[in-house]
Amino acid sequence: MGGSRYLLLFSASAIALANCAMTSPAAAQDGQPGGAIVSNTDTNDAASAEIVEIIVTAQKRSERLRDVPMSVTAATAETLASRGINSSEDLGKLVPGFSFQKTQFGLPVFFLRGVGFSDTALTASPAVTVYTDQVPLPYLPMARGAVLDIERVEVLKGPQGTLFGQNSTGGAINYIAAKPTDYLAAGTTLTVGRFSQVDAEAFVSGPITDTLSARIAVRHEYQGDWQRNRFNGDESGAKDFINGRLIVDWRPSERATFSLQASAWKDRSNSQQPQFVGYEPKDTSPLARPVDPQVLTYSTSPDNARIAGWTPGKDYRQNNRLHQFALSGQIDISDTVRLSSITSYGHYDAHGLQDIDSLVEDYIAVTIGGTIRNFSQELRLSGDLGDRVKWMIGGSYQDDKINERVLFAPDIDSSTHVGPFTFDSFGLLNDQKIKTKGGFGSLDYELTDTISLQASARYSDQKRRFQGCSADLLGTGEFTSAFSLGFFRDLNAFPPGSCVLVSSTTGMPLPGGSKSNLNEDNVPWRAGISWKPSSATTLYANITKGYKAGSYPTLPTAFDNQLNPVPQELVLAYEAGGKLSLLDRAVDLEFAGFYYDYRDKQLQGLVSAPPFGNLPALVSIAKSRIAGAEANLTLNPVQGFRITVGGTYLNTKILQDPVNPTEPFGNVGTFVGETFPYTSTWQGVVDAEYRFHTSANASVFLGATVNGRTGTKGVLYTNATPAISQFERQYDIPGYALLDLRAGIELDREHLRLEAWGRNVMNKFYLVNTVRGSDYSSRFTGMPTTYGLTLRWRYDAR
């Protein structure tokens, strides 16, 4: 029934736009999700420094990157390929201030300028949102296949709630897919590398009729096992990922363009296995469940990225998949007004097994499963008033349905008991229905020939319905019996297969689980001024208020108030910066300074969740702040040589302790003065490339990329008790620097390219995250040295 409703809305959008197309006059400029984006106007010499003019749609209209009065990092598909960026997780090689973490359940988390949202829940709304052609991928696991046959990527830093909606307090990542061409074009890319890696990608594009064109792209990624079990020598880590996209463009007239996009991917890769760090029981009371003495004999895994630990004989392959459909259209209603619509529907399924204890014994394993169904609709009008005013007004609607199931089986640790009654398995339920409505507008006014004012705002109203609990997912009755007898001395208090939850107000059992609503609204806004003393210089200052939606935890609980949500967070961001081109584009400089004033920031801390002990969970920090600066310098000192240096400095601090959740924190103390988790003080990227001709039809290139960051931590903890410092150090994430190298040759005006490459060529051991799963601490490592060859061929009939 729900799918039929979405199909009707999808069709209605197409019909409405088509009707407008039959009666509309001529053209207005708007931010189309495609079109020509790179103009090699500065040079036609393939061996010279690659100076390109990138056209972006960061403000939902087409404009030069260096004219956009905000901090944006943009790069072409060629730049991404040369730096080995095949997924969003790799963007740290390009974007200073971007970082990626992996939760204990293996879910991705993105941070920009220290702003992100780390939670184990599939239902977690991110603080950095991802789009493909402005079509939302509202939950980060859905973004796995976004880097396929793209034209460019735009990374917008700072709150983006006015044009891209809430849940973008950190920023937004927009991938622009390569579009169908009006001529025949085709290409293939083949990569072979270490660990039996074989990646193959191909596309075909061209006209079908005079008004219809299409482009289809497919990619398959394969890699053999790269991890070894320290206990028995087994191997794991294989990758098996297939991805595809079809785009059909229809141009019924010069005034109208429609694009239908269908994409799908399937991931059957193995879950990455974490390394064992240490054992520390959550429950140290006299009634604590006894530990297997064998656990106490294990030492921390060696500092070798390939060495991990897991229980053999289990299937650790994921079964995650996504299919999404999107219809977009642009109609020129008049010479100065354009109507745009974007309608999309996506369905994501997840299933995977993760070893939590990182040991050969079968103590704790987690099966993560769930579905996400997402429908979104945006409709907007944009245009010009004279030569000095650009305006936009629109509305949006999003409907999400999420069903999450997390099964702990087995789960044998110190806290899996209620008094003397033990249990070996249980599950978590988190079902949410989320409806978000919004209206937005923007206005740009050229006060003079060089000074412009910008303003934008959005009203968002979100209604979130939640139902969840800890539950007897296996239906054995062991979990429910332990709580029935331990809490009520009544074996039938919780029937087998039911939720296990106790009312914090009445003390009575709630076998149906917790049901509640979180209804929030907000008005993010942005005001700015920019000055262009010349065509090569832009200086700007912005004040932005942004919001991120509240969230319900996926957390083992016994009492309903442990499932209370954290409220929406609010940030007031101040930023000033500039973009300069000097010495005839021999020097390009971008810089910005910023200050974020936070209220109710959502961070991951440790919360007491009896009888399960202290658990990582969301806390709402009453007051905190981020101060920082960033710069990106591109030099073209001589013909053929280019070097780019980018860096970000962050200073984060908690200014006031949390006021929720209602349960006491696991460690007595204060958070005041502590820094944010996953926030390095310094991050930097350096990339250099030299190109030279060997003949009239061939050029050789040599390149290197270094990206690094200082250390941080994987959890928010108090600063008052020295006795827990050794425990806290288990969550440290040391700093690191990684070196990538590349060399190759291009023939026939870049239609044929052969590249040899190496990633992390110094085989630096580094950590992606440190986590705690029950009594066990573990860590996810980055990849060891990889190397290989990539052959790329392109053809077009022009």
Side-chain angles (χ1 to χ4, degrees):
M1 186 69 181
S4 301
R5 181 180 60 186
Y6 294 143
L7 182 60
L8 289 172
L9 288 169
F10 193 91
S11 302
S13 299
I15 294 170
L17 284 169
N19 287 337
C20 290
M22 304 307 166
T23 59
S24 303
Q29 188 177 21
D30 189 17
Q32 301 182 56
I37 59 96
V38 178
S39 175
N40 289 302
T41 56
D42 297 281
T43 177
N44 292 316
D45 187 351
S48 67
E50 184 187 1
I51 304 175
V52 297
E53 197 72 81
I54 299 181
I55 306 301
V56 299
T57 54
Q59 300 187 98
K60 297 196 174 181
R61 63 171 180 266
S62 298
E63 53 192 334
R64 296 189 310 173
L65 175 61
R66 52 178 158 157
D67 292 339
V68 179
M70 68 175 71
S71 183
V72 180
T73 298
T76 64
E78 290 75 15
T79 298
L80 298 181
S82 68
R83 299 198 189 185
I85 299 174
N86 296 314
S87 71
S88 299
E89 300 172 4
D90 300 324
L91 284 174
K93 299 179 181 182
L94 172 73
V95 183
F98 176 90
S99 62
F100 155 75
Q101 269 73 44
K102 186 174 289 188
T103 72
Q104 70 182 76
F105 295 167
L107 300 175
V109 180
F110 300 156
F111 289 78
L112 278 170
R113 292 178 172 174
V115 180
F117 182 60
S118 181
D119 187 27
T120 58
L122 184 67
T123 58
S125 299
V128 177
T129 52
V130 180
Y131 297 79
T132 298
D133 290 343
Q134 300 179 23
V135 175
L137 295 163
Y139 302 91
L140 291 184
M142 300 174 69
R144 171 67 175 88
V147 187
L148 168 68
D149 190 35
I150 65 169
E151 203 169 69
R152 70 184 185 277
V153 63
E154 303 171 7
V155 181
L156 289 63
K157 300 177 183 178
Q160 303 296 325
T162 59
L163 296 182
F164 287 91
Q166 63 181 1
N167 303 330
S168 58
T169 46
I173 302 169
N174 192 23
Y175 292 99
I176 310 300
K179 299 302 183 294
T181 52
D182 56 7
Y183 54 87
L184 178 62
T188 61
T189 302
L190 177 65
T191 295
V192 294
R194 190 185 184 193
F195 305 121
S196 303
Q197 177 185 357
V198 180
D199 296 345
E201 182 176 333
F203 77 89
V204 177
S205 176
I208 299 175
T209 67
D210 290 342
T211 61
L212 203 65
S213 58
R215 185 181 186 108
I216 186 169
V218 294
R219 179 179 175 86
H220 182 249
E221 301 175 11
Y222 173 82
Q223 187 180 71
D225 293 325
W226 64 277
Q227 292 188 289
R228 288 199 299 267
N229 195 322
R230 63 185 286 205
F231 303 104
N232 64 359
D234 283 356
E235 294 188 336
S236 184
K239 180 192 296 184
D240 185 4
F241 178 76
I242 188 167
N243 194 6
R245 180 189 295 127
L246 170 67
I247 302 177
V248 179
D249 282 356
W250 179 44
R251 296 178 177 84
S253 71
E254 294 182 356
R255 302 180 296 265
T257 301
F258 301 92
S259 181
L260 177 64
Q261 186 175 128
S263 57
W265 58 258
K266 180 179 180 180
D267 191 355
R268 293 287 287 159
S269 306
N270 285 350
S271 300
Q272 181 179 344
Q273 303 295 341
Q275 293 185 334
F276 177 76
V277 173
Y279 173 86
E280 182 175 17
K282 294 184 298 180
D283 189 347
T284 58
S285 70
L287 291 177
R289 187 169 184 175
V291 63
D292 183 347
Q294 180 71 19
V295 174
L296 304 177
T297 67
Y298 292 121
S299 60
T300 298
S301 296
D303 290 350
N304 183 329
R306 299 192 62 187
I307 304 300
W310 62 90
T311 303
K314 294 188 175 184
D315 186 358
Y316 293 101
R317 289 181 302 167
Q318 303 172 76
N319 189 7
N320 303 334
R321 60 188 71 197
L322 170 79
H323 62 262
Q324 186 177 56
F325 302 93
L327 173 67
S328 62
Q330 294 85 35
I331 305 295
D332 296 327
I333 296 177
S334 70
D335 292 345
T336 59
V337 178
R338 165 167 288 180
L339 172 67
S340 301
S341 174
I342 301 176
T343 310
S344 70
Y345 173 77
H347 185 109
Y348 171 78
D349 287 299
H351 181 85
L353 176 66
Q354 182 73 59
D355 193 299
I356 295 296
D357 56 69
S358 307
L359 299 173
V360 70
E361 290 85 4
D362 199 8
Y363 294 131
I364 304 179
V366 177
T367 301
I368 303 99
T371 61
I372 299 173
R373 292 176 292 275
N374 163 256
F375 171 80
S376 69
Q377 171 66 57
E378 179 179 295
L379 195 65
R380 65 178 185 262
L381 282 170
S382 60
D384 303 331
L385 291 175
D387 296 330
R388 293 190 178 274
V389 177
K390 293 182 174 63
W391 59 271
M392 182 188 303
I393 187 170
S396 62
Y397 173 77
Q398 185 168 311
D399 189 344
D400 300 336
K401 293 181 176 63
I402 310 169
N403 302 100
E404 182 175 16
R405 300 292 182 269
V406 180
L407 174 63
F408 292 80
D411 189 349
I412 303 172
D413 64 60
S414 63
S415 66
T416 52
H417 71 95
V418 184
F421 307 103
T422 63
F423 54 90
D424 292 346
S425 66
F426 71 98
L428 307 177
L429 306 182
N430 189 330
D431 295 335
Q432 296 189 43
K433 295 181 179 180
I434 309 166
K435 293 185 178 181
T436 308
K437 302 174 184 178
F440 60 90
S442 68
L443 187 68
D444 286 24
Y445 174 58
E446 294 184 9
L447 189 62
T448 70
D449 291 340
T450 61
I451 298 176
S452 297
L453 303 177
Q454 300 88 33
S456 58
R458 173 187 289 262
Y459 172 75
S460 289
D461 178 83
Q462 183 176 96
K463 292 179 170 53
R464 186 180 294 252
R465 295 167 55 192
F466 166 80
Q467 181 173 359
C469 64
S470 299
D472 179 20
L473 286 186
L474 294 180
T476 63
E478 181 188 52
F479 181 55
T480 52
S481 295
F483 275 81
S484 294
L485 294 172
F487 273 83
F488 299 102
R489 300 296 187 266
D490 177 2
L491 184 60
N492 299 315
F494 296 105
S498 72
C499 285
V500 171
L501 203 64
V502 178
S503 171
S504 58
T505 55
T506 67
M508 299 301 294
L510 299 171
S514 173
K515 299 179 182 179
S516 67
N517 296 328
L518 179 63
N519 299 329
E520 298 176 316
D521 61 356
N522 55 66
V523 182
W525 52 264
R526 176 191 298 245
I529 184 171
S530 60
W531 178 42
K532 287 188 62 63
S534 70
S535 62
T537 302
T538 299
L539 303 175
Y540 66 87
N542 296 318
I543 303 176
T544 309
K545 177 178 279 190
Y547 292 85
K548 182 198 168 300
S551 184
Y552 284 91
T554 301
L555 181 71
T557 56
F559 297 93
D560 60 347
N561 63 349
Q562 294 168 336
L563 291 174
N564 286 346
V566 289
Q568 63 185 358
E569 67 179 30
L570 178 156
V571 59
L572 188 61
Y574 306 85
E575 179 175 335
K579 305 178 182 185
L580 312 175
S581 293
L582 307 172
L583 304 176
D584 195 24
R585 300 295 305 273
V587 178
D588 282 345
L589 174 64
E590 301 177 19
F591 60 91
F594 48 89
Y595 182 89
Y596 294 175
D597 184 6
Y598 261 104
R599 296 293 184 274
D600 297 325
K601 180 164 179 58
Q602 303 164 5
L603 292 177
Q604 189 175 78
L606 291 174
V607 174
S608 176
F612 295 97
N614 299 334
L615 294 174
L618 297 179
V619 296
S620 184
I621 303 298
K623 188 175 181 181
S624 57
R625 60 101 172 130
I626 300 176
E630 63 186 19
N632 198 75
L633 176 67
T634 301
L635 302 174
N636 300 279
V638 296
Q639 183 178 8
F641 181 60
R642 174 194 50 76
I643 182 169
T644 301
V645 181
T648 298
Y649 167 77
L650 296 174
N651 184 296
T652 66
K653 184 176 289 188
I654 292 174
L655 304 177
Q656 187 175 330
D657 278 328
V659 295
N660 70 318
T662 56
E663 287 299 308
F665 286 86
N667 299 310
V668 177
T670 177
F671 294 98
V672 173
E674 282 294 303
T675 58
F676 294 176
Y678 307 120
T679 305
S680 298
T681 302
W682 292 96
Q683 288 181 251
V685 180
V686 179
D687 183 81
E689 185 169 289
Y690 178 58
R691 291 172 173 262
F692 59 93
H693 277 308
T694 57
S695 68
N697 199 37
S699 62
V700 172
F701 61 90
L702 305 169
T705 303
V706 177
N707 75 90
R709 61 199 62 209
T710 56
T712 182
K713 57 191 178 185
V715 71
L716 177 65
Y717 40 70
T718 60
N719 57 19
T721 310
I724 63 173
S725 61
Q726 183 175 359
F727 164 74
E728 292 176 349
R729 280 197 294 271
Q730 295 179 351
Y731 298 98
D732 286 346
I733 303 176
Y736 60 86
L738 308 178
L739 172 64
D740 296 349
L741 298 175
R742 61 185 182 272
I745 185 170
E746 291 181 345
L747 304 173
D748 191 23
R749 295 184 179 272
E750 302 183 6
H751 285 178
L752 187 64
R753 173 187 174 111
L754 178 64
E755 177 182 333
W757 50 265
R759 318 290 185 216
N760 188 12
V761 296
M762 304 302 292
N763 202 29
K764 174 68 175 178
F765 175 80
Y766 67 102
L767 301 180
V768 175
N769 199 2
T770 57
V771 298
R772 175 166 181 151
S774 190
D775 291 346
Y776 304 87
S777 298
S778 57
R779 61 192 186 186
F780 287 96
T781 67
M783 284 292 291
T785 297
T786 55
Y787 45 79
L789 294 171
T790 297
L791 177 66
R792 189 187 72 175
W793 169 78
R794 295 291 184 267
Y795 167 81
D796 69 67
R798 287 179 295 180

